[in-house]
Amino acid sequence: MNQQSCTVLVVGAGPGGYTAAIRSGQLGLKTIVVENAKAGGTCLNIGCIPSKALIHAADLYSKVLESASEKTKFGIHSENPRIELAETIRWKDQIVHRLSSGIEGLLEKAGVQRVQGWARFIDGKTVVVETPDSGPPMEIRAEYIILATGSRPVELRDLPFGGKVISSTEALSLTSLPEKLVVVGGGYIGLELGSAYQKFGSKVTIVEATDQILPNFDAELVRPISRRLKQLGVTVLTGAMAIGMADDSKGVMIKTADNSISELPADQVVVTVGRAPVVDGWGLEELDLDRNGSAVSVDSGCRTSMSGVFAVGDLTGEPMLAHRAMAQGSLVAEIIAGKRRRWDKVAIPAVVYSDPEIVTVGLSPDQARQEGFEVIEGRFPYSASGRALTMSDTDGFIRVVARADNHLVLGIQGVGADISELSSAFTLALEMAARLEDIGETIHAHPTRSEALQEASLHALGMAIHI
Ligand code: FAD
Ligand code: NAD
């Protein structure tokens, strides 16, 4: 058996693992990263990046159709636009390939050794890697271990993957458009991919078990999304569960809140009911780590219950977001390199790339009250924004939540076109402990959609100018 040793062994090269490995390498630690699939993990290969590419293409296509239709107000005329999904998928694959190769280059530049294959622990310091070329397995011993095995789609017992029933992974690589697409689960992925496929031309139905799509976001933020889905022609069934395929596999059986059962015709069914940490097949049982549900428990330094073993990213549970995984990855590398670090982030932004987009950072008004704060709120609607009007997209608003006594900003949320790009401004405000006055007195460039942040802060102070 081929034997190797290193200071830091990272298992999984997704955003958590590759960031940990690059930072460890930069800090001069002898680092090996083992990856079974492609560098970049779920996010880059079958998650964030490919989904955003398809969402962009679908948006562009629907805008072309809209401006070519008689309803156009812009005076733009284009003849017979059409979508060739296979070409769109090829374009998306090129982006993914470029970014994945980029990560490999960055690992190399940081002096990190990459090992391709599946890692399995035989004890808390040693893994055996089965390499895909069926060469001899490799045994790697390490002083420190960083677990970054990520997550996989949850499968419904009554609607297992196979045949017409697919996960987000396959939904990101369809080469022909399903005429009727049923999306089971109206969360992040269901909304993002469901809207994209409707814009491409499928007839989409979203089936959501709770009484609201995006149940983790407050109703006020979700309202503009529901309006837009209706306008696009997406059917949304809330309080509804998919209970299996019809006997002839031509549709999905749905049970609604009043216990009635009906069949939804479907050419394809995408199940997007959450993701679960990957905890099997790599020897977790050899490590005997404390767990929180299925996730691996970590402390504020991402240490597990076993000395020298760290865990980052989706493996450690919610929120399963790439930027959280990356932040944990750097943190752990720096701790191993001897720096005094701990997880002390004020907020982790959450963005839904729906139409329009949602951003939430920090506490909502209700959450702030539940935590015992007396709060004041400010709001600014995009219907009053000059820039939003010039972009012909005025649905949505920005909301700022602050302590009533000292005006410390506790949370910023918003919904609107391209609002994802404001997530860093929102998060920076919270990390820098901004007061309403700090944002209100900062000059925001005109005309931009970001002025809504300044106006919402001024509104909370009773000083808004444009409403
Ligand atoms: P992963 O990215 O899952 O990487 C884990 C890696 O470990 C995998 O490559 C796997 O092959 C490898 N691995 C596992 N076990 C072993 C083993 N034993 N040996 C060798 N290799 C192993 N998040 C956002 O923040 N923004 C978004 O817009 C967004 N969009 C998404 C869209 C979709 C469709 C999906 C599915 C997810 C999306 N996410 C998004 C979530 C994001 O992809 C994850 O939070 C992120 O990838 C987690 O990173 P990670 O490093 O923990 O794990
Ligand atoms: P999710 O948790 O966002 O949504 C799952 C939805 O399915 C929920 O609304 C839930 O009520 C519903 N559901 C559960 N069981 C059901 C059933 N039997 N029938 C009908 N509905 C059911 O999960 P997801 O959309 O699969 O995404 C997984 C994770 O990936 C997210 O939680 C997020 O962490 C990450 N992600 C993030 C982004 C982003 O940051 N923009 C995008 C995609 C995915």
Side-chain angles (χ1 to χ4, degrees):
M1 189 173 320
N2 180 352
Q3 290 186 323
Q4 301 259 2
S5 65
C6 58
T7 308
V8 181
L9 170 67
V10 185
V11 180
Y18 80 66
T19 305
I22 291 174
R23 194 74 194 107
S24 297
Q26 286 173 346
L27 290 163
L29 302 168
K30 186 179 179 200
T31 306
I32 296 179
V33 61
V34 186
E35 170 56 58
N36 184 52
K38 295 234 177 78
T42 303
C43 169
L44 215 151
N45 295 288
I46 49 169
C48 326
I49 297 297
S51 60
K52 268 77 246 177
L54 294 193
I55 290 165
H56 174 69
D59 265 350
L60 205 55
Y61 180 53
S62 76
K63 286 198 170 106
V64 170
L65 287 180
E66 225 169 88
S67 48
S69 80
E70 285 182 18
K71 284 182 284 177
T72 186
K73 302 168 282 234
F74 311 125
I76 298 172
H77 299 269
S78 46
E79 299 303 314
N80 302 325
R82 70 193 168 87
I83 188 92
E84 289 292 343
L85 192 60
E87 288 171 29
T88 314
I89 296 291
R90 273 204 294 281
W91 164 75
K92 176 269 293 179
D93 287 341
Q94 281 167 13
I95 298 170
V96 166
H97 177 72
R98 180 172 165 179
L99 288 174
S100 178
S101 313
I103 298 296
E104 289 176 6
L106 292 171
L107 286 165
E108 201 170 312
K109 195 169 155 217
V112 175
Q113 184 186 342
R114 282 190 300 119
V115 173
Q116 184 77 29
W118 183 259
R120 183 185 293 273
F121 282 85
I122 50 175
D123 62 44
K125 300 274 180 209
T126 320
V127 301
V128 170
V129 183
E130 302 289 343
T131 49
D133 56 13
S134 66
M138 182 184 283
E139 187 180 281
I140 308 172
R141 275 191 70 74
E143 217 172 308
Y144 299 96
I145 306 283
I146 305 176
L147 300 170
T149 57
S151 64
R152 66 163 68 95
V154 168
E155 186 169 31
L156 289 175
R157 200 193 50 205
D158 298 327
L159 209 59
F161 296 127
K164 281 187 179 178
V165 184
I166 57 174
S167 73
S168 56
T169 304
E170 294 77 30
L172 292 168
S173 286
L174 294 178
T175 48
S176 64
L177 211 56
E179 202 182 312
K180 297 189 189 75
L181 178 69
V182 173
V183 177
V184 180
Y188 275 92
I189 304 180
L191 259 290
E192 293 185 0
L193 292 185
S195 313
Y197 272 100
Q198 178 78 21
K199 289 179 185 174
F200 281 140
S202 295
K203 176 79 199 80
V204 173
T205 303
I206 297 176
V207 179
E208 165 57 42
T210 66
D211 60 6
Q212 180 194 291
I213 50 165
L214 297 171
N216 294 329
F217 295 83
D218 62 73
E220 195 185 3
L221 290 170
V222 175
R223 220 164 282 135
I225 320 288
S226 299
R227 268 198 294 274
R228 180 73 176 132
L229 290 172
K230 196 167 174 191
Q231 192 188 24
L232 286 168
V234 174
T235 305
V236 176
L237 303 177
T238 51
M241 304 273 285
I243 54 170
M245 287 301 283
D247 289 342
D248 59 5
S249 289
K250 287 194 173 151
V252 194
M253 304 309 296
I254 305 294
K255 190 170 168 186
T256 41
D258 59 3
N259 274 337
S260 63
I261 293 177
S262 56
E263 181 178 336
L264 271 180
D267 300 306
Q268 200 91 69
V269 183
V270 191
V271 176
T272 58
V273 294
R275 295 181 60 84
V278 173
V279 287
D280 49 338
W282 49 263
L284 174 62
E285 52 289 354
E286 305 300 330
L287 307 185
D288 193 25
L289 304 179
D290 284 355
R291 308 270 288 275
N292 176 13
S294 59
V296 168
S297 300
V298 289
D299 70 4
S300 62
C302 290
R303 295 174 194 87
T304 67
S305 51
M306 188 171 196
S307 168
V309 179
F310 297 78
V312 299
D314 288 5
L315 176 65
T316 63
E318 299 285 350
M320 293 193 186
L321 298 172
H323 40 276
R324 168 178 173 263
M326 290 190 257
Q328 289 179 320
S330 319
L331 174 92
V332 169
E334 299 198 351
I335 288 174
I336 293 174
K339 296 183 187 289
R340 282 167 60 89
R341 294 280 185 274
R342 70 189 169 88
W343 185 265
D344 58 358
K345 309 294 179 199
V346 178
I348 302 171
V351 179
V352 189
Y353 294 81
S354 44
D355 181 2
E357 296 172 347
I358 294 182
V359 175
T360 71
V361 180
L363 302 176
S364 70
D366 284 348
Q367 288 168 335
R369 283 187 204 100
Q370 276 159 20
E371 292 206 6
F373 293 108
E374 196 185 325
V375 297
I376 51 175
E377 291 173 46
R379 256 181 201 68
F380 190 81
Y382 279 120
S383 55
S385 151
R387 182 61 178 146
L389 276 160
T390 64
M391 295 172 75
S392 188
D393 211 335
T394 54
D395 209 359
F397 61 91
I398 290 183
R399 179 177 74 196
V400 179
V401 187
R403 282 174 62 149
D405 56 354
N406 60 9
H407 301 172
L408 179 76
V409 177
L410 298 172
I412 309 177
Q413 298 86 33
V415 50
D418 298 329
I419 203 169
S420 52
E421 289 300 334
L422 282 182
S423 60
S424 51
F426 295 2
T427 315
L428 191 64
L430 265 75
E431 285 292 344
M432 303 287 287
R435 314 266 157 154
L436 291 169
E437 289 80 355
D438 295 318
I439 304 177
E441 287 171 22
T442 300
I443 296 179
H444 286 62
H446 176 75
T448 61
R449 300 178 70 95
S450 65
E451 287 169 286
L453 172 60
Q454 182 184 23
E455 286 281 0
S457 304
L458 290 172
H459 183 234
L461 294 167
M463 293 162 53
I465 302 293
H466 293 95
I467 39 171

